[in-house]
């Protein structure tokens, strides 16, 4: 379930057993982030440009909703919906979890190229390992440290339009960057899989798990919100 603070927005946690997965807003250039073992998975604007400020937060069933409305000086506004998802053969526990991030961008400008990067934590100074599932049109990106594994799955609707940018501070997946017409809503919905420590329960975050996640993402219905 989601835990939120009364009369305060920008902080929320998903609780499983006695473990919590904390989301918050880190600053103007770094948007929503999930914090794990000293690392983060974040949405960022390239070149340290400011993202719109958070102005609305609510929880609906198992979904965390954050809204960042376009204001003067912003090229666009966006919304983020975070919800847990199930991966066949990889059950959520206190040490692992999978989330769907539904990112929607919209602009009131006539000429706009909204740009948001999904940033994975660094993997020992190396770029994320990339896996392609060509029969699904999907891709997976995996980073590993001594006590953490993080993977991002992009389905066939997002993978062809996502630019991969290696970076010392962690691989960046540029979800948006194309021209966007005024009033049009564009969405991306990466799945973020997190494992706090390698486990010995026979459910590793390996290539088969990532393929199972890609198949589940491909088979899931498109979000209406």
């Amino acid at each position: 379930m989601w835990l939120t603070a009364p009369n305060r927005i920008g902080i929320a946690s998903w609780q499983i057993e006695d473990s919590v997965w904390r989301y918050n807003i880190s600053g103007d250039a770094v948007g929503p982030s999930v914090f794990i073992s000293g690392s983060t998975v974040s949405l960022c604007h390239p070149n340290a440009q400011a993202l719109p400020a958070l102005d609305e937060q609510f929880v609906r069933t198992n979904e965390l909703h954050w809204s960042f409305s376009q204001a003067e000086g912003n090229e666009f506004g966006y919304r983020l919906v975070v919800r847990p998802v199930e991966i066949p053969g990889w059950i959520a526990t206190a040490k692992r979890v999978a989330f769907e991030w539904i990112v929607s961008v919209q602009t009131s400008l006539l000429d706009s190229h909204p740009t948001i990067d999904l940033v994975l934590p660094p993997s020992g100074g190396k770029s994320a390992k990339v896996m392609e599932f060509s029969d699904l049109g999907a891709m997976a990106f995996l980073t590993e440290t001594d006590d953490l594994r993080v993977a991002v799955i992009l389905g066939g609707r997002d993978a062809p339009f996502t630019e991969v940018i290696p970076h010392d501070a962690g691989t960046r997946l540029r979800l948006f960057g194309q021209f966007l017409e005024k009033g049009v809503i564009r969405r991306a919905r990466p799945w973020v899989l997190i494992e706090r420590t390698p486990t010995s329960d026979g459910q590793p975050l390996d290539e088969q798990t990532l393929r199972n996640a890609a198949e589940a993402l491909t088979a899931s219905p498109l979000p209406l919100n």
Side-chain angles (χ1 to χ4, degrees):
M1 65 177 179
W2 286 106
L3 306 175
T4 58
N7 304 317
R8 186 176 181 184
I9 64 174
I11 299 177
S13 297
W14 177 255
Q15 182 174 12
I16 301 177
E17 300 173 3
D18 60 350
S19 179
V20 295
W21 307 84
R22 181 169 61 92
Y23 282 78
N24 75 2
I25 309 300
S26 300
D28 291 339
V30 180
S33 303
V34 57
F35 290 78
I36 332 101
S37 302
S39 298
T40 61
V41 182
S42 304
L43 293 179
C44 297
H45 203 327
N47 304 319
Q49 299 177 55
L51 283 167
L54 176 67
D55 61 3
E56 183 183 23
Q57 170 183 300
F58 63 91
V59 172
R60 178 186 296 152
T61 61
N62 66 341
E63 299 175 346
L64 172 66
H65 291 249
W66 275 346
S67 179
F68 306 79
S69 297
Q70 182 177 358
E72 185 176 356
N74 297 136
E75 190 178 2
F76 60 91
Y78 71 103
R79 295 181 63 88
L80 173 66
V81 179
V82 181
R83 67 184 185 95
V85 290
E86 296 182 357
I87 308 299
W90 199 73
I91 299 172
T93 68
K95 291 187 176 182
R96 68 163 70 94
V97 69
F99 294 106
E100 179 175 61
W101 289 20
I102 305 171
V103 188
S104 307
V105 296
Q106 189 173 16
T107 182
S108 60
L109 303 180
L110 294 176
D111 186 6
S112 176
H113 293 74
T115 305
I116 298 180
D117 293 350
L118 175 58
V119 184
L120 282 72
S123 182
K126 300 178 182 179
S127 299
K129 181 180 179 181
V130 182
M131 283 161 270
E132 296 188 30
F133 305 110
S134 55
D135 56 323
L136 302 172
M139 298 181 70
F141 303 84
L142 176 66
T143 64
E144 299 184 67
T145 65
D146 291 339
D147 59 357
L148 179 68
R149 293 175 182 168
V150 175
V152 170
I153 310 293
L154 297 176
R157 291 178 176 269
D158 295 326
F161 305 103
T162 300
E163 182 181 0
V164 183
I165 304 173
H167 195 278
D168 292 342
T171 299
R172 289 175 174 257
L173 305 178
R174 186 146 297 169
L175 302 178
F176 306 102
Q178 298 82 21
F179 172 75
L180 182 66
E181 294 183 10
K182 178 180 178 180
V184 173
I185 298 175
R186 185 171 293 155
R187 291 187 177 93
R189 55 170 188 151
W191 282 18
V192 180
L193 285 64
I194 306 167
E195 188 174 67
R196 276 202 171 104
T197 56
T199 57
S200 58
D201 59 2
Q203 300 180 43
L205 184 51
D206 57 12
E207 186 169 352
Q208 183 59 54
T209 297
L210 297 179
R211 179 172 182 86
N212 291 345
E215 291 176 346
L217 171 56
T218 300
S220 65
L222 293 174
L224 299 177
N225 50 356

